[in-house]
Amino acid sequence: MPVYAYTIVIAGVVLWLLPFALTGWNMSAPQSLDKRARWGMLLELVGYTVMLQSRFWEASPGLWRVVASTLLLVSANLLSWSATRVLGRQHLRLDAAIDANHELVRQGPYRLVRHPIYASMLCALWGIGFMAASPLLFVVATAIFLVGTEIRVRAEDRLLEARFGQQFLEYRRSTRAYVPLLR
């Protein structure tokens, strides 16, 4: 793989991770917690791992793959930076959890999707995949990642519905989960 391809992917991933490092994580005890969401995160990480199982160092991606990868990584960064800015430190957690002072966020990227951080993770996965993965690994990694994301989304949605009731149900009806054109 050419140096510019490595540079695009590494810079895209580092910049994608940066807002999480800068914002920090909420380590306080939550009011409600669903530890089953950890299985989803594990599957998401497996999806990333599968995506990198090809001999990507031997690949020479075509121009369309480089452009697609770059656009996806830029999208991932826009989503991760804007979502963490809107959420702030109080909401970022490893587990699916709700705090006593939790608010239903509907501004910024949350106007487009209920889970923009998962959307950013999918964009990052595909950004890596278009640059480095074979078509088969791309499909398999995406499927594994989406199963994990669905587990996390459903756990978080259950907690949000329990906390916000009808207000969340209306939000869920009007806003897609993490891909704007898909329910």
Side-chain angles (χ1 to χ4, degrees), residues 4-78:
Y4 67 84
Y6 282 111
T7 304
I8 290 169
V9 170
I10 291 168
V13 171
V14 168
L15 289 172
W16 176 81
L17 287 168
L18 194 56
F20 302 104
L22 293 174
T23 303
W25 296 89
N26 186 346
M27 304 304 275
S28 64
Q31 179 181 358
S32 301
L33 176 73
D34 189 340
K35 289 188 177 186
R36 293 174 294 185
R38 291 180 181 183
W39 290 106
M41 182 171 287
L42 177 64
L43 287 172
E44 289 170 337
L45 291 173
V46 169
Y48 278 104
T49 303
V50 168
M51 192 67 83
L52 292 171
Q53 293 308 305
S54 66
R55 300 176 70 122
F56 59 86
W57 55 90
E58 294 177 355
S60 185
L63 179 62
W64 77 269
R65 291 177 73 131
V66 172
V67 170
S69 176
T70 302
L71 291 173
L72 285 160
L73 289 167
V74 166
S75 297
N77 277 279
L78 289 171

Side-chain angles (χ1 to χ4, degrees), residues 5 14 23 49 54 61 66-67 77 79 96 137 144 149 153 163 166 169 175 179:
V14 168
T23 303
T49 303
S54 66
V66 172
V67 170
N77 277 279
L79 285 165
L137 287 177
I144 293 168
T149 300
V153 163
R163 171 80 162 86
Q166 190 61 37
L169 291 174
T175 310
V179 179

Side-chain angles (χ1 to χ4, degrees), residues 67-101:
V67 170
S69 176
T70 302
L71 291 173
L72 285 160
L73 289 167
V74 166
S75 297
N77 277 279
L78 289 171
L79 285 165
S80 70
W81 280 88
S82 60
T84 55
R85 183 170 178 238
V86 170
L87 279 182
R89 185 179 191 154
Q90 74 176 17
H91 295 307
L92 288 176
R93 291 185 173 278
L94 218 45
D95 288 310
I98 299 286
D99 292 329
N101 61 348

Side-chain angles (χ1 to χ4, degrees), residues 1 3 7 9 48 75 93 112 115 123 125 157 163 172:
M1 195 158 72
V3 172
T7 304
V9 170
Y48 278 104
S75 297
R93 291 185 173 278
L112 303 172
H115 303 279
C123 287
L125 177 78
D157 282 358
R163 171 80 162 86
R172 186 171 66 194

Side-chain angles (χ1 to χ4, degrees), residues 104-119:
L104 183 59
V105 177
R106 297 176 80 166
Q107 61 267 22
Y110 291 87
R111 289 177 299 175
L112 303 172
V113 290
R114 295 189 315 273
H115 303 279
I117 292 174
Y118 298 139

